[in-house]
Amino acid sequence: NAGVTQTPKFRVLKTGQSMTLLCAQDMNHEYMYWYRQDPGMGLRLIHYSVGEGTTAKGEVPDGYNVSRLKKQNFLLGLESAAPSQTSVYFCASSYGGPPDTQYFGPGTRLTVL
Amino acid sequence: AQSVTQLDSQVPVFEEAPVELRCNYSSSVSVYLFWYVQYPNQGLQLLLKYLSGSTLVKGINGFEAEFNKSQTSFHLRKPSVHISDTAEYFCAAFIQGAQKLVFGQGTRLTINP
């Protein structure tokens, strides 16, 4: 039982490049979330999903897209990376919506040059 | 707007000393409260949560927190810290009617021998 896994762990992009971050969970959770963590700002919600085939915007969705084609996977895409998207990205999942406990992945450190 | 404020960005303490990490939230409606811990280079892990009932909540690793509705606070305490408690601690709130957790800015706890 791996919990929540994220791929890749680290990535460096040039401005304008695109990439996809993959989150996978093996706990049969309905809800999945993408957060970004920046120094002094805590975690901010980018997008979330309440079930397979559904997505919704969070607090800071601009510049990101997501897809939830399979229940266990939640993909975060950056179509045209910008330096402001340099951050640590965390995926989380929960059985139900809040206040159900969210389980977090180990994070992806992304640098955009 | 609902918000969570962690009053200290860094807290240094000596090993075996007591510690209190402060958290205040702003909300006029019912709220659920959480404390998460992030060890170096890892994702977030739930320490404890308050949903209802007793205002004193006990969590893992000897931590506890007290919900104070009149002061809109949810401070985290431990009577005797260990080197292994060195981590960043995040307070979070889920406000009923919203669909997301709101995180505080984080408090970095450093334990000195």
Side-chain angles (χ1 to χ4, degrees), chain B residues 35-53:
Chain B
W35 274 100
Y36 280 85
V37 59
Q38 184 181 27
Y39 297 107
N41 300 312
Q42 294 186 28
L44 278 70
Q45 178 182 353
L46 182 70
L47 267 181
L48 49 80
K49 62 182 176 183
Y50 171 78
L51 303 182
S52 64

Side-chain angles (χ1 to χ4, degrees), chain A residues 38-58:
Chain A
D38 301 292
M41 301 187 74
L43 275 73
R44 292 179 292 168
L45 183 65
I46 305 172
H47 285 279
Y48 65 98
S49 167
V50 301
E52 182 178 319
T54 74
T55 63
K57 294 181 180 179

Side-chain angles (χ1 to χ4, degrees), chain B residues 37-108:
Chain B
V37 59
Q38 184 181 27
Y39 297 107
N41 300 312
Q42 294 186 28
L44 278 70
Q45 178 182 353
L46 182 70
L47 267 181
L48 49 80
K49 62 182 176 183
Y50 171 78
L51 303 182
S52 64
S54 173
T55 57
L56 184 63
V57 181
K58 293 191 183 298
I60 61 171
N61 301 339
F63 284 93
E64 63 181 31
E66 185 158 18
F67 171 61
N68 188 319
K69 188 175 182 179
S70 63
Q71 298 192 6
T72 60
S73 68
F74 191 54
H75 300 333
L76 181 70
R77 300 187 184 100
K78 186 170 182 177
S80 176
V81 296
H82 301 283
I83 292 285
S84 58
D85 293 323
T86 295
E88 189 152 18
Y89 293 78
F90 292 93
C91 182
F94 173 73
I95 292 92
Q96 288 191 349
Q99 196 64 21
K100 62 186 175 106
L101 283 180
V102 177
F103 283 85
Q105 302 91 327
T107 297
R108 188 171 299 277

